[in-house]
Amino acid sequence: DVVLTQTPSTLSATIGQSVSISCRSSQSLLDSAGNTYLYWYLQRPGQSPQLLIYLVSNLGSGVPNRFSGSGSGTDFTLKISGVEAEDLGVYYCMQATHAPYTFGAGTKLELK
Amino acid sequence: EIQLQESGPGLVKPSQSLSLTCSVTGYTITSGYDWSWIRKFPGNKMEWMGYISYSGSTNYNPSLKSRISITRDTSKNQFFLQLNSVTTEDTATYYCASLLWASFDYWGQGVMVTVSS
């Protein structure tokens, strides 16, 4: 299975600070058709996961544009430009290029 | 809007079967999407378990293939998870979710299942 390594595991931020989360894959996530199936989800406390980013860099429905995704091949980044209180929770990257779908271990974003 | 709701027992004994139901409203499960089960273990690890497609075909995580079955009742717009021979390592929060182009767009609120004697 593809292993996704997220760093850091915990991130402390102040409101308004910009932060980044890294997701590195054990294999390239570029498929033979030129697609890269890398996603980002946020699970807020007490809630279900919510799709933030699909196909590396596309914003999910209703997701604020302070979130952005980038990367290629095996290295991917989620950036939050100006953390807000509602952004606290656990962030997961997920890949769907190689069966089975796999998730990173999660990055907990907390207030400093 | 699509809504999903999991239901089922919160406690299962070791070696028994875990059975959960996902009820879908706002969309007919035979119209599109794949319908998936995902679980989150204590400590945040997430695992995709499998899905049943809108046409009824299934796809399972190989790590569970000998123990898992996902079925559906189209008349009730529900799909189901059965996991056999559970152990304490199957203790987790179980989510159902809709899957479109490999993206889990809609999720249920999750049901916590503990495996314990």
Side-chain angles (χ1 to χ4, degrees), chain A residues 39 41 43 48-49 51 92 94, chain B residues 40 44 95 101 103-104 108:
Chain A
Y39 302 78
Y41 293 87
Q43 186 168 29
S48 304
L51 176 69
Y92 295 93
M94 188 208 83
Chain B
K40 180 178 177 179
N44 284 344
Y95 296 93
W101 296 111
S103 174
F104 297 107

Side-chain angles (χ1 to χ4, degrees), chain A residues 28-94:
Chain A
S28 174
L29 299 184
L30 178 66
D31 76 356
S32 57
N35 299 309
T36 302
Y37 295 94
L38 188 282
Y39 302 78
W40 290 94
Y41 293 87
L42 164 61
Q43 186 168 29
R44 297 184 175 96
Q47 296 187 18
S48 304
Q50 168 196 359
L51 176 69
L52 293 176
I53 301 284
Y54 64 96
L55 299 175
V56 180
S57 59
N58 296 278
L59 232 53
S61 176
V63 176
N65 60 11
R66 63 180 178 273
F67 290 94
S68 61
S70 63
S72 63
T74 60
D75 289 346
F76 303 92
T77 301
L78 174 72
K79 182 177 181 180
I80 310 173
S81 300
V83 169
E84 298 192 6
E86 66 180 20
D87 301 337
L88 304 183
V90 181
Y91 290 79
Y92 295 93
C93 56
M94 188 208 83

